[in-house]
Amino acid sequence: MLLSIKVELKPNNKQVTAFRKASGVARHAYNWANALVKDVLVQRETDKTIKVPSAIDLHKRLVAEVKSENAWYYETNKNVPQQALKELRTAWDRCFKKIAKQPKFKKKGQCDSFYLESGSKAAPKIKNDGKRIKLPSIGWVRLAEPLPVTATHNCVISRTADKWFIAIKYEVEKPSIEGQRPTVGVDIGIKELAVCSNGKVFKNPKTYRRMSKRLKHLQRQVSKKVKGSNNRKKAVTKLAKIHARIANIRKDAIHKLTTYLAKNHSIIKIEDLHVKAFLKNHRLAGAIADCGMYEFRRQLEYKTEKFSSQLILVDTMFPSSQICSNCGNHRHKMPLKNRVYICPDCGHIEDRDLNASKNIERWFEGIFIPTLPSQTVSSTGMACGVDKPFSCQTKATLKQEVNAKTTYV
């Protein structure tokens, strides 16, 4: 199994200058190629015989037209502009397939990164001794913590706030899991990060909300500084540190949660949430974004594969919060302000999120969903029911046609 790891670097001033030069070269090559492709697309509107240049074509033109005029290109490794052109061509391929929008031009100081390569998979030449790593064209750079492998053939250097990181890929064997593991349903929310059907609750750190006052203060300080001044650069760095700290706390909470779920359970069931649609609710968009719902699902996808678990996505329309986990009664819709579920049929009282997680755990494909008491089934309705019952029901629900008369369910 192929995994990636990201470790902080401890470069000196000379190495930081080399990192910034390489990031500048990668950004310049990316923006130059992006402008070239856009010009070609404009020409293709009148002449379809003009071909959109590939990554190889872009590199040939870069060597002939750009490198000959800009000698500072040769101060960095040759892989830096080459990989930037490959990434741009990949971005345009995604745009042509209508997977993503057109790639934007990169801006200095935002998402600085570059690619380095040396050797091959069979004979990697980027080696480290646990405390340092030897990068091509840069030399030995100190590591904040040791890497899991002693050699690799490629890596990505990136900057977050005022810190530099290295990311590598390495093969890892799947850990052996002994014994039977239970199934768990997980309800993701805003009040609590996650509530499991076994009763375990993971608190939501709500880091962005706790640091919002500090963020507003620093953003105000940035707006008051003169553009291009050193004071503005210092203020921007302080603001970037706070944003990085918020992201790190959020990722740490999600990593601990997903590792616990994937390692200790054989089957994990979560709701297939459409996070992008949730963010359109501007009253809750900030709180939803602070939870990291998409990152939670992304991490579960690869961690379940690592720990030989299974991830099941529950249907988006499954009313997990409206069904009683005790008797299976489907009550009226519950507004978000109601945090306790009270069943009008059996009188069962339980926390809203815990009740939903139990319903998510017993979900399966084709599960029978009881209708609301206020809804009626007309003679034109479809046949209802499935062969398997709801877990709280004692008998299977058979498919049957509805009578001509209006029936109250």
Side-chain angles (χ1 to χ4, degrees):
M1 182 179 178
L2 192 64
L3 290 180
S4 64
I5 186 172
K6 192 174 183 180
V7 176
E8 183 184 352
L9 296 172
K10 297 291 185 180
N12 55 34
N13 292 337
K14 186 177 180 180
Q15 292 167 346
V16 169
T17 303
F19 289 168
R20 291 185 179 275
K21 284 183 179 180
S23 300
V25 169
R27 180 177 61 254
H28 185 274
Y30 187 94
N31 291 341
W32 171 84
N34 195 14
L36 181 63
V37 173
K38 288 188 175 183
D39 291 340
V40 170
L41 294 178
V42 172
Q43 297 175 9
R44 280 179 55 86
E45 294 179 358
T46 56
D47 187 3
K48 296 295 183 180
T49 59
I50 300 177
K51 179 185 175 183
V52 178
S54 63
I56 298 177
D57 299 333
L58 290 172
H59 184 253
K60 290 180 180 178
R61 293 192 61 174
L62 182 77
V63 173
E65 301 176 10
V66 181
K67 275 195 171 183
S68 58
E69 298 180 358
N70 301 293
W72 41 269
Y73 258 82
Y74 294 96
E75 296 179 8
T76 60
N77 192 279
K78 64 178 182 179
N79 300 126
V80 174
Q82 289 179 357
Q83 184 65 21
L85 299 178
K86 290 180 182 179
E87 292 175 356
L88 174 77
R89 196 62 179 85
T90 303
W92 274 108
D93 290 339
R94 289 172 56 84
C95 177
F96 296 150
K97 295 176 182 178
K98 297 183 179 180
I99 301 176
K101 297 181 180 180
Q102 292 187 4
K104 298 180 180 179
F105 291 97
K106 292 188 176 182
K107 188 177 180 180
K108 183 179 180 180
Q110 295 183 3
C111 302
D112 289 342
S113 65
F114 60 94
Y115 172 88
L116 291 176
E117 181 179 338
S118 181
S120 61
K121 291 183 179 180
K125 294 185 178 181
I126 302 179
K127 300 182 179 180
N128 71 89
D129 57 4
K131 296 182 179 180
R132 302 176 302 166
I133 185 168
K134 190 174 183 180
L135 301 176
S137 305
I138 296 176
W140 289 98
V141 183
R142 287 190 302 151
L143 293 167
E145 56 182 297
L147 293 172
V149 292
T150 57
T152 182
H153 78 285
N154 59 7
C155 64
V156 175
I157 311 296
S158 60
R159 184 178 66 86
T160 301
D162 60 339
K163 296 181 180 180
W164 291 89
F165 297 86
I166 181 172
I168 65 168
K169 295 181 292 184
Y170 67 102
E171 289 285 345
V172 61
E173 295 183 0
K174 292 184 179 181
S176 58
I177 305 297
E178 298 180 359
Q180 294 183 351
R181 295 175 294 170
T183 303
V184 66
V186 184
D187 181 70
I188 312 170
I190 298 175
K191 182 182 177 182
E192 306 293 347
L193 181 61
V195 178
C196 302
S197 57
N198 56 11
K200 193 172 182 63
V201 179
F202 291 83
K203 292 184 178 181
N204 186 3
K206 300 180 181 179
T207 320
Y208 186 86
R209 183 178 180 181
R210 288 192 289 108
M211 297 187 178
S212 58
K213 290 185 179 180
R214 179 65 176 164
L215 280 173
K216 290 179 182 178
H217 174 73
L218 292 176
Q219 288 169 349
R220 196 176 297 114
Q221 293 298 320
V222 171
S223 65
K224 291 180 179 179
K225 300 296 186 293
V226 179
K227 290 186 177 181
S229 64
N230 289 331
N231 286 336
R232 183 181 175 88
K233 292 180 181 178
K234 294 177 182 178
V236 169
T237 302
K238 289 182 180 180
L239 181 61
K241 286 182 179 180
I242 295 294
H243 278 291
R245 178 173 173 78
I246 292 173
N248 289 338
I249 294 175
R250 184 187 300 120
K251 288 180 181 179
D252 179 69
I254 297 176
H255 270 295
K256 290 178 179 177
L257 168 60
T258 52
T259 301
Y260 163 79
L261 293 174
K263 191 174 183 180
N264 300 308
H265 302 89
S266 59
I267 299 176
I268 302 116
K269 298 181 181 181
I270 62 172
E271 290 180 298
D272 187 11
L273 300 176
H274 189 18
V275 182
K276 189 174 181 180
F278 289 170
L279 295 177
K280 293 181 180 180
N281 183 349
H282 297 291
R283 293 185 177 182
L284 297 175
I288 293 173
D290 198 17
C291 296
M293 293 182 178
Y294 182 80
E295 179 67 11
F296 169 79
R297 174 176 169 177
R298 187 194 69 83
Q299 290 186 16
L300 263 185
E301 287 177 351
Y302 78 84
K303 287 187 179 181
T304 49
E305 182 181 355
K306 176 182 178 181
F307 292 102
S308 302
S309 303
Q310 182 182 2
L311 177 63
I312 297 179
L313 300 177
V314 177
D315 185 14
T316 308
M317 303 306 295
F318 178 64
S320 58
S321 299
Q322 303 169 16
I323 298 176
C324 178
S325 60
N326 184 44
C327 66
N329 179 48
H330 189 182
R331 58 160 288 174
H332 294 281
K333 292 186 177 181
M334 291 181 59
L336 288 174
K337 63 180 181 180
N338 294 346
R339 304 312 306 171
V340 178
Y341 185 92
I342 303 176
C343 181
D345 190 18
C346 67
H348 179 65
I349 301 176
E350 195 171 30
D351 179 75
R352 175 198 181 104
D353 297 333
L354 180 59
N355 178 74
S357 63
K358 291 181 178 179
N359 290 327
I360 291 173
E361 181 190 359
R362 59 170 59 117
W363 180 91
F364 55 85
E365 190 69 33
I367 189 174
F368 171 72
I369 302 176
T371 56
L372 290 172
S374 60
Q375 289 182 343
T376 59
V377 182
S378 63
S379 59
T380 58
M382 298 293 292
C384 62
V386 292
D387 295 334
K388 295 182 180 180
F390 197 69
S391 60
C392 60
Q393 296 172 345
T394 56
K395 297 181 180 180
T397 305
L398 301 177
K399 291 185 177 181
Q400 52 185 330
E401 297 294 335
V402 181
N403 296 330
K405 297 181 180 181
T406 303
T407 306
Y408 294 90
V409 180

